[in-house]
Amino acid sequence: MAGGIAETDVLIAGLGPVGATLGVYLTRAGFRVTICERDRDVYPLPRAAHLDHEVMRLLHMAGGADAVLASSAPLSAYEFRNAAGDLLMGFRPDPLVKETGFPQGSMFHQPTLELALRARLAAEPLADVRLGAQVTGFVDHETHVTVQVKDETGTSEISAGFLIGCDGGGSVVRRTADLPLEDMGFDEPWLVIDSTLKNNVKCLSTIGLQHCDPARPVTSMPMGPGRHRWEFMMLPGETADDVTSDARLAEFVRPFADPDAITIERRAVYRFHAVTAKQWRKGRVVLAGDAAHQMPPFMGQGLCSGVRDAANLGWKLVSVLKGEAGMALLDTYQAERDPHVRAITGLAMFMGRVVCTQNVEEAARRDKEMTSKPEGERMGGGMPSLEGLKTGIFGDHASVGQIAPEPWLKDGRRLDDVIGLTPFLVTREASGVTSFAAGGQVFTLGDLSDPHGAFAAAMGDAPALLVRPDRLVFGAGDTTALVDAWNAYASGRAAA
Ligand SMILES: Cc1cc2nc3c(=O)[nH]c(=O)nc-3n(C[C@H](O)[C@H](O)[C@H](O)COP(=O)(O)OP(=O)(O)OC[C@H]3O[C@@H](n4cnc5c(N)ncnc54)[C@H](O)[C@@H]3O)c2cc1C
């Protein structure tokens, strides 16, 4: 690496939830990480309100889930209703998913999570967090990247093994690397209001509601104890100035709650859009989170997708930095994450189109079509299921590519806490395998506590099940075949 300038293994641009999660994963794995964040405080405007259970588990592995759990509440239902209040479609999230131990949908407050992740990073000796430090450019030298960072003292350079752009929707890293965004065809302006509830009121409703009224589509969401979110679609010709005065906000809220019973904490006008970078990596520069993709919030999955990116990319960077895998392993990052993000974005756009209809005739047609089914059929059991992984997996066992249930150790510790972002193999009988690629850990079913029987159910009749570091099932079947396939995949020699 170049001499005379600061050196680090990985430089992360942006300390949002994705940069912070990735920072914890990498420092926990023993690497020096410098995180440069343009601002000093966490982002002040209203953003994510929903996390799914898989992502809560990934955040638990980064030290962020306890703070979320302590300040969040499960979503009891997510309903789309027309102007007359008839149910168009709805979902009842599972209050406790036995595979992960978290509610299927948690309603939370994004700054609480970001502060918890910052506290976790502050306790990591290998994390160098620089607030008020903006990444302004970089040069990729093939063996390392030189990154320009501007702070109050001027501009300096840091030499890093990799530069990860977690710098959000306007990503300087993405633009400097010349990685264009693909527009997926959604662009609607919305006003978002976050409020706190006065008089010790804990909750206005546990139901997330999409009020699909063509006169003014509205989203109403609980956000955990003592908080509530409303989103109001802007009408043609309205500007941010037209809709953000205190008087207008009170007018907007009045049909749903007494404006005197709440305090408006944050307000913002956003254009909800759907974009994905065509290419997520160029050499030693990689994008993650909103820098790589943005979606409308109707599935509550933007931040969730970014955390999945961090889990997918984190262990691969560790393997490459350790010299255990070639750069080809990093090619699997976009290959695996991009289809998942696109599928969720498609679902979010579908939901958005149901909600965002402002044409009265179109809304009437929508209502007629969607209410033609019996109400019981309009209400789904859980949230729409997310795609399983299609590559980076082995075999066709039913559990492959799905989230693996978390077994616990017999001494009461969570396995995820003990092994961190590494893969693990569980065999029915002792196998003679002691380790495998990417720090793989080996257990027999008898070593583990599986109180709900979820892990045994995922294994079915298979003699062994191998779980990837991002907690998706890599494969289930013959132990030797599984371990061989994993070793080839995790070294970057084979796209499993
Ligand atoms: C109204 C709304 C509702 C949403 N609801 C949900 C939801 O319910 N569930 C969900 O999962 N997601 C939701 N999202 C999306 C979610 O908020 C984002 O996906 C998430 O914040 C992205 O995290 P990130 O870390 O990638 O980027 P960000 O949170 O944007 O963080 C990027 C960071 O990079 C910093 N930065 C920028 N440029 C530079 C630079 N040049 N140098 C250094 N630092 C820089 C910024 O200051 C910022 O701190 C919602 C979004 C909106 C707007």
Side-chain angles (χ1 to χ4, degrees), residues 80-417:
F80 292 62
R81 292 186 177 271
N82 66 8
D86 302 322
L87 183 74
L88 300 177
M89 62 178 177
F91 308 94
R92 288 210 187 286
D94 187 344
L96 190 72
V97 180
K98 59 182 187 316
E99 281 77 4
T100 56
F102 293 105
Q104 193 178 20
S106 291
M107 301 311 293
F108 85 117
H109 179 233
Q110 184 167 342
T112 303
L113 167 66
E114 295 195 32
L115 290 170
L117 291 171
R118 285 184 180 202
R120 181 71 174 76
L121 276 170
E124 286 292 342
L126 292 171
D128 171 16
V129 175
R130 302 187 183 191
L131 300 178
Q134 186 178 356
V135 169
T136 54
F138 62 83
V139 179
D140 187 342
H141 303 279
E142 289 186 18
T143 51
H144 65 283
V145 190
T146 309
V147 185
Q148 283 97 45
V149 179
K150 188 172 156 211
D151 62 17
E152 59 198 11
T153 65
T155 299
S156 57
E157 289 195 328
I158 301 175
S159 173
F162 289 93
L163 167 63
I164 316 300
C166 298
D167 49 345
S171 175
V172 166
V173 174
R174 186 188 65 233
R175 284 184 280 129
T176 309
D178 195 19
L179 297 173
L181 291 174
E182 179 184 331
D183 189 341
M184 295 174 71
F186 193 93
D187 184 24
E188 301 292 356
W190 282 71
L191 163 70
V192 184
I193 304 172
D194 277 358
S195 69
T196 53
L197 309 179
K198 291 181 184 168
N199 310 318
N200 274 329
V201 173
K202 291 279 172 276
C203 183
L204 296 182
S205 168
T206 59
I207 297 173
L209 173 68
Q210 298 290 356
H211 178 63
C212 307
D213 179 355
R216 172 85 72 185
V218 180
T219 304
S220 169
M221 286 284 166
M223 281 186 78
R227 295 182 181 280
H228 202 86
R229 149 89 46 95
W230 284 280
E231 300 172 1
F232 299 90
M233 190 175 177
M234 313 248 303
L235 303 182
E238 273 178 341
T239 65
D241 285 345
D242 294 336
V243 294
T244 47
S245 70
D246 289 348
R248 279 314 297 279
L249 297 192
E251 226 178 88
F252 282 132
V253 167
R254 192 163 288 113
F256 304 94
D258 175 3
D260 293 328
I262 62 167
T263 304
I264 302 230
E265 196 182 33
R266 306 183 294 176
R267 64 194 75 178
V269 167
Y270 287 104
R271 293 200 78 88
F272 290 165
H273 53 205
V275 290
T276 309
K278 292 178 185 159
Q279 190 184 332
W280 296 24
R281 177 173 79 86
K282 201 180 216 177
R284 291 182 169 265
V285 179
V286 194
L287 304 177
D290 273 22
H293 46 75
Q294 296 146 55
M295 62 184 72
F298 302 102
M299 280 280 289
Q301 279 289 336
L303 192 161
C304 293
S305 298
V307 170
R308 288 187 172 91
D309 294 348
N312 188 299
L313 179 61
W315 71 268
K316 293 175 183 173
L317 283 173
V318 168
S319 289
V320 174
L321 285 163
K322 282 185 174 162
E324 292 173 0
M327 291 286 277
L329 180 61
L330 297 182
D331 292 339
T332 66
Y333 164 58
Q334 177 176 359
E336 291 168 10
R337 291 293 308 131
D338 183 272
H340 195 263
V341 165
R342 281 176 192 269
I344 295 177
T345 306
L347 269 175
M349 287 167 60
F350 160 73
M351 288 182 171
R353 290 202 177 102
V354 171
V355 179
C356 293
T357 308
Q358 290 186 347
N359 179 298
V360 177
E361 284 92 43
E362 234 176 75
R365 273 198 301 277
R366 171 200 67 195
D367 293 355
K368 193 166 169 217
E369 191 187 316
M370 294 187 80
T371 55
S372 64
K373 282 196 270 179
E375 185 161 322
E377 284 178 31
R378 281 175 253 154
M379 182 59 91
M383 291 296 273
S385 56
L386 303 180
E387 282 229 333
L389 204 60
K390 300 280 188 291
T391 58
I393 50 174
F394 176 72
D396 56 4
H397 188 276
S399 62
V400 169
Q402 308 297 321
I403 188 83
E406 181 189 7
W408 291 47
L409 292 174
K410 286 257 164 77
D411 62 11
R413 289 178 299 161
R414 294 184 83 128
L415 187 64
D416 286 352
D417 287 344

Side-chain angles (χ1 to χ4, degrees), residues 14 17-18 36-39 47-50 110 135 290 300 302-304:
V18 177
C36 296
E37 165 56 47
R38 181 188 59 197
D39 299 334
R47 294 196 297 171
H50 164 268
Q110 184 167 342
V135 169
D290 273 22
L303 192 161
C304 293

